[in-house]
Amino acid sequence: MDFPYSRLRRWPDVEADNLQAHDATDLLLVERALALDVAGREIAVIGDEYGAITLALTDAGLDGLRVHQDLATGRRALDRNADELGLVGFSGHELDATLLDGARLVLVQLPKALAELEEIADAVARWAAADAVLVAGGRVKHMTIAQNEVLGRSFSHVQAQRAERKSRLVVASDPRTVPEKPPFPVTERHDGLVLVAHGGAFAGPKLDIGTRVLLEVLGLGDPQLRKNATGSVEKAPNRPDAARSSGVVDGEQPSPAPVVVDLGCGTGALAASYALAHPDSRVIATDRSAAAVASARATMAANGVDDRVVVMHDDAGSELADASADVVLLNPPFHLGSSVHTGAATRLFEAAARILRPGGELFTVYNSSLGYRAELTRLVGATEQLERTPKFTVTRSIRR
């Protein structure tokens, strides 16, 4: 086949000379699928980052493919690339029975997290056809024996293939009988805060170190900030008051309650903690990961604040209006997939600058070695350091 992979774009994800919209693993998965000669309606594709697998197979004449992409950026890139190439005949799904029911071949770009792979493997064994074959692929340098072991929990036969073009396929077949209860989501308690996580959510049900530092700086990690039995809230001394501003909803109409955005919310630790500590605030949690969004919604329900926190699957707050927020809380990633790249953080800084009203506050925690303060000042406004530990720095930026 002669599919025009070079025409694919990553947009709206970060684009750079060293970042591509396809790799050799995509090509191997496509070649294997075509060699197996399975009907398109019996194929499910999981983790197709920008649509290379789905569109190449569709271009080859396979109709009715079902695809699950965790990232909102990937979903938008797939749609954009499909429009550019004039390709139709596939459908997007969440990681559920609608994706996998009757599927005989499941193609998977191996995720970085073993927990995410475990949830995927269980879902395939749980909902796909009884004779389903899972073909997973990845770059050799990122593959481990542990991935085979995870697949072996859900499939009786797991066989690694010979490496080609620095990529390798692993074929899993003969699905095992699954337990009555799926392995995810999982729940963990942290001093009054409950976190719920699906396999693909960063840090799982743990409270990651950076988030913990930001919570402490904001006073949200202190017991006296939790609602007490009478419903009152006490502010810890010597902490910044991140909810002091009056709210703005759409850039024009005033709101009686501050609008606080947890940008890149993950499992929702910041949003839930803020909602518990400031019951008069309007809190929005947004993340580009579907696994994170499902986790955050479950976290809000577990903490009893789901009626006061809106959780959105979105790319860098793109569905939030300009000048619509009083406060943004941000713990930005410093990886794009398996690559270390600051572009993801820059996009979130730009998003925060756009959605904050003038005078609004951005609270950011980041790895101290990255030195984002100058960039935050340039993109958002005057930035001061609130805390610095050996690993993390917390800053407050005032939107100019």
Side-chain angles (χ1 to χ4, degrees):
M1 62 177 296
D2 189 25
F3 180 74
Y5 288 101
S6 61
R7 291 179 60 185
L8 301 178
R9 286 185 56 188
R10 295 166 55 96
W11 186 91
D13 206 347
V14 176
E15 296 188 304
D17 291 341
N18 64 330
L19 299 173
Q20 295 184 334
H22 71 283
D23 64 17
T25 307
D26 295 321
L27 275 64
L28 285 181
L29 287 167
V30 169
E31 291 166 4
R32 178 56 64 94
L34 293 176
L36 291 174
D37 194 27
V38 178
R41 65 182 179 278
E42 296 178 327
I43 298 176
V45 183
I46 299 175
D48 190 4
E49 289 186 316
Y50 305 102
I53 302 168
T54 302
L55 296 179
L57 292 177
T58 300
D59 185 62
L62 294 178
D63 185 63
L65 273 75
R66 288 167 281 174
V67 57
H68 169 69
Q69 296 163 289
D70 181 60
L71 301 183
T73 45
R75 297 181 186 193
R76 294 177 185 181
L78 169 59
D79 289 342
R80 183 264 171 199
N81 287 325
D83 288 343
E84 174 68 19
L85 297 173
L87 295 172
V88 296
F90 58 89
S91 58
H93 299 263
E94 298 304 331
L95 184 62
D96 57 21
T98 67
L99 171 74
L100 294 162
D101 184 36
R104 295 181 52 242
L105 175 62
V106 181
L107 306 175
V108 179
Q109 265 276 10
L110 281 168
K112 185 166 61 173
L114 291 177
E116 183 174 3
L117 180 59
E118 182 181 0
E119 186 166 20
I120 290 170
D122 175 84
V124 175
R126 186 174 299 275
W127 291 312
D131 62 346
V133 174
L134 183 156
V135 181
R139 301 296 279 171
V140 171
K141 63 182 179 181
H142 300 307
M143 298 178 73
T144 67
I145 294 298
Q147 292 171 328
N148 294 18
E149 294 171 351
V150 168
L151 289 172
R153 297 172 195 165
S154 296
F155 293 86
S156 297
H157 302 290
V158 177
Q159 181 64 53
Q161 308 296 293
R162 184 189 314 180
E164 299 181 49
R165 289 165 276 179
K166 298 183 180 180
S167 290
R168 188 191 304 276
L169 299 182
V170 178
V171 179
S173 58
D174 192 8
R176 295 182 186 275
T177 300
V178 296
E180 181 178 351
K181 181 180 179 182
F184 294 91
V186 293
T187 301
E188 196 166 307
R189 297 182 178 274
H190 305 272
D191 297 327
L193 177 68
V194 181
L195 293 182
V196 184
H198 284 269
F202 173 73
K206 306 285 186 187
L207 190 59
D208 81 271
I209 303 173
T211 296
R212 189 184 300 275
V213 172
L214 181 53
L215 287 172
E216 290 299 324
V217 169
L218 295 175
L220 302 180
D222 295 339
Q224 64 264 39
L225 246 179
R226 302 295 179 196
K227 286 180 65 177
N228 62 26
T230 64
S232 64
V233 176
E234 296 180 11
K235 182 70 176 67
N238 301 318
R239 300 291 191 182
D241 186 353
R244 66 173 181 260
S245 307
S246 61
V248 178
V249 176
D250 60 4
E252 297 180 1
Q253 298 300 319
S255 167
V259 177
V260 180
V261 176
D262 181 356
L263 191 60
C265 64
T267 56
L270 292 171
S273 296
Y274 204 99
L276 287 168
H278 299 283
D280 60 332
S281 296
R282 296 181 56 206
V283 181
I284 300 170
T286 174
D287 201 291
R288 69 175 187 157
S289 163
V293 167
S295 303
R297 286 174 177 154
T299 290
M300 301 312 148
N303 288 280
V305 295
D306 48 318
D307 60 335
R308 293 191 284 114
V309 180
V310 175
V311 182
M312 303 171 61
H313 188 209
D314 187 21
D315 171 35
S318 66
E319 295 183 13
L320 300 178
D322 294 359
S324 62
D326 299 285
V327 176
V328 172
L329 309 177
L330 176 59
N331 180 2
F334 58 92
H335 282 83
L336 282 172
S338 58
S339 302
V340 176
H341 199 287
T342 59
T346 298
R347 291 185 75 239
L348 292 174
F349 297 160
E350 293 170 341
R354 181 184 63 79
I355 66 177
L356 277 170
R357 64 168 182 78
E361 298 168 298
L362 166 64
F363 293 90
T364 310
V365 60
Y366 53 86
N367 192 300
S368 296
S369 64
L370 296 173
Y372 283 141
R373 185 171 175 180
E375 186 172 14
L376 285 164
T377 299
R378 177 176 62 85
L379 294 174
V380 182
T383 299
E384 63 174 326
Q385 178 178 298
L386 299 179
E387 183 69 71
R388 186 182 179 94
T389 72
K391 290 193 66 175
F392 294 98
T393 296
V394 176
T395 58
R396 172 169 54 186
S397 305
I398 307 300
R399 178 71 170 95
R400 64 172 64 87

